Amino acid sequence: MAKVTREMVEKTGVDVEKLLELLVKNASAELTTYYYYTILRVNLIGLEGEGIKEIAETARVEDRNHFEALVPRIYELGGKIPENMVDFHEMSACRPARLPEDPRNITEMLTVLVNAERCAVRGYTEICNLTAGKDHRTYDLSLSILNEEIEHESWFSEFLGEGPSGHFLRRGETSPFVSKFLR
């Protein structure tokens, strides 16, 4: 734990225990989403599925990166992730992005994907609101993740016909906002 770091965050009035709970629950959501997106991506088959597979893969990899970026901040603030994976899974901030009953139904698949991203947008918005102007590092990290989650939501909602996203599929490097926390 970085004692002065935690002390400075506490002095700004942030409830560090509440913040740690949110960070751990969102880290759980990222890791479980990575796992479930692996299953979803494998099941994106046929002409319709192939068109979504690359975007689902980018979101999947970026969610893993979000998990990797969150863990150091949790420990810096004196928190930890559970030692038991089942416990970690069960505390997720978001419902598992499970395969729909009919995995060939692309609309159902996209609905699972967009709902997972919308939950993430809500979670990181809450952390940003809690830390804005108070815990600069956590705010920067959460805002970076939020920027990527907003793009993920936009990608999937566009496929659902909710309107143009204004975003394009990333080519090359993933996690353009979060990558600075992975170095």
Side-chain angles (χ1 to χ4, degrees):
M1 172 176 64
K3 290 182 182 185
V4 172
T5 297
R6 183 178 171 122
E7 176 187 327
M8 301 295 12
V9 173
E10 287 171 338
K11 281 186 176 185
T12 65
V14 172
D15 179 343
V16 176
E17 290 306 315
K18 177 182 178 183
L19 175 58
L20 283 168
E21 180 183 343
L22 292 171
L23 290 171
V24 171
K25 285 181 175 183
N26 280 279
S28 171
E30 296 294 355
L31 188 61
T32 57
T33 301
Y34 171 75
Y35 173 81
Y36 288 111
Y37 272 28
T38 300
I39 296 167
L40 291 167
R41 187 204 57 205
V42 167
N43 281 278
L44 286 167
I45 59 175
L47 291 176
E48 287 183 302
E50 281 299 318
I52 301 164
K53 192 175 278 188
E54 191 173 359
I55 288 176
E57 173 64 4
T58 299
R60 182 183 82 92
V61 169
E62 289 182 357
D63 284 348
R64 184 203 62 220
N65 291 344
H66 300 167
F67 169 76
E68 293 289 343
L70 285 166
V71 170
R73 188 60 180 158
I74 291 166
Y75 282 86
E76 287 169 359
L77 291 171
K80 66 179 187 171
I81 58 174
E83 295 174 15
N84 181 308
M85 185 62 194
V86 173
D87 294 339
F88 193 46
H89 178 277
E90 293 304 312
M91 69 177 10
S92 175
C94 300
R95 292 182 48 200
R98 295 183 192 225
L99 198 60
E101 198 170 307
D102 179 5
R104 292 189 193 124
N105 183 325
I106 294 302
T107 301
E108 283 183 32
M109 186 77 84
L110 285 166
T111 300
V112 168
L113 292 163
V114 80
N115 285 338
E117 300 305 337
R118 288 176 174 159
C119 180
V121 168
R122 288 183 193 100
Y124 291 106
T125 298
E126 182 179 3
I127 294 170
C128 285
N129 290 339
L130 180 67
T131 58
K134 298 176 180 179
D135 175 355
H136 309 296
R137 184 168 169 82
T138 304
Y139 176 79
D140 188 22
L141 171 59
S142 297
L143 183 60
S144 296
I145 295 172
L146 177 60
N147 281 312
E148 292 179 6
E149 298 293 8
I150 288 169
E151 289 185 355
H152 298 172
E153 178 195 6
S154 295
W155 293 337
F156 297 130
S157 69
E158 182 177 322
F159 277 112
L160 283 169
E162 296 177 356
S165 71
H167 298 285
F168 300 97
L169 175 64
R170 289 194 239 302
R171 298 282 183 213
E173 184 181 354
T174 56
S175 292
F177 296 96
V178 175
S179 61
K180 66 183 177 184
F181 295 97
L182 301 172
R183 295 183 182 144

